Amino acid sequence: MPTSVRSAQVVNFAIAGLGVLLTVAAGATSGAEAAGRSLAGYLTALVLCVLALLYPKAGNGVRVASVVLAVLQILAGMGAAANHNPGGIIPLGGAITAVVLLTQRSAIQWFARPRTPGAPPQPPYA
């Protein structure tokens, strides 16, 4: 797996993990309503985390879905920032990073690579 895909995978895992931690912290300190509001800002990040689990074996559809969801997260993060919600900045940065990494040539080649069942793994693309 090329470095850009691995990096996008790690970013997606980190943002989703941070979202879960912040949601739990908001629930513990401010109640269920605050936890729900916190979780709402990280829903697309959680879906991106699930898609990131599929990166090692997935095709181009997973990359495209990840980019589309990250763009939606960028739009939501920009809206949150416009409403002076500082919690929207973290997923915004993660989504921008994911889009940049998943649209690099090495990532496009990785997801478009041919797959043969039972074939040995191919060397990573540079």
Side-chain angles (χ1 to χ4, degrees), residues 39-49 69-70 72-73 76:
L39 180 65
Y42 287 93
L43 283 178
T44 53
L46 294 172
V47 176
L48 281 169
C49 179
L69 279 173
L72 291 176
Q73 181 65 44

Side-chain angles (χ1 to χ4, degrees), residues 19-85:
V20 169
L21 287 175
L22 290 176
T23 299
V24 169
T29 59
S30 301
E33 185 177 338
R37 278 187 264 124
S38 176
L39 180 65
Y42 287 93
L43 283 178
T44 53
L46 294 172
V47 176
L48 281 169
C49 179
V50 171
L51 288 174
L53 292 171
L54 302 174
Y55 287 179
K57 296 181 181 177
N60 196 42
V62 171
R63 184 188 70 83
V64 171
S66 295
V67 170
V68 168
L69 279 173
V71 168
L72 291 176
Q73 181 65 44
I74 290 169
L75 295 174
M78 288 172 41
N83 289 327
H84 306 292
N85 180 0

Side-chain angles (χ1 to χ4, degrees), residues 6-21:
R6 176 69 69 189
S7 299
Q9 190 179 39
V10 169
V11 166
N12 288 333
F13 291 154
I15 296 299
L18 185 62
V20 169
L21 287 175

